[in-house]
Amino acid sequence: MNKEELMRRAIVLSEKSVKTGGGPFGAVIAKDGVVVAEASNSVTLDFDPTAHAEVNAIRTACNRLRTFDLEGCEIYCSCEPCPMCLGAIYWAHIDRIYYANDRKAAAGIGFDDDFIYQEIGRDLAGRHRPIECLLPEEGKKAFDMWRQKGDKTEY
């Protein structure tokens, strides 16, 4: 499939999601033009704020391919990925991102994507949710253990 066909598939998923009670978002992951996984937003259906289309598609693709590294894949999103999804896309090492609607359009229909992008750019003290470091010395032990572990699987 070409880029436009893959994006249309993501858009159709977003429309079906609206009709079935999910959010208006769809995502398709492809490798060499072949669909590896596709999903829609199921936040309200699954009672899971992380069940965005992109995250759902990443989970399916990784499970299907039996890997946590989706290098060589592309993702087609009906909307510009929110910061959480963008982070997941980077963690999964997906090569390229395509989107139809942007974050301003998502904000225009009541979604927080643009607000969260702005929030990330603020100093910690200026954020809308309090955030503070607590027990860093105790928390460091797991990092030291990881650093010293000889048989770890890097990711």
Side-chain angles (χ1 to χ4, degrees), residues 46-107:
D46 293 341
F47 307 104
D48 179 354
T50 69
H52 291 200
E54 298 89 339
V55 171
N56 289 342
I58 289 168
R59 289 175 178 156
T60 299
C62 288
N63 187 280
R64 193 165 284 154
L65 297 175
R66 308 302 307 150
T67 184
F68 52 81
D69 188 341
L70 298 178
E71 188 174 334
C73 293
E74 299 175 330
I75 190 165
Y76 297 81
C77 311
S78 65
C79 186
E80 180 181 0
C82 75
M84 176 186 70
C85 293
L86 185 62
I89 290 164
Y90 273 85
W91 281 118
H93 303 125
I94 294 173
D95 291 354
R96 192 170 188 106
I97 305 162
Y98 298 94
Y99 67 90
N101 295 301
D102 66 17
R103 63 177 107 157
K104 301 287 186 196

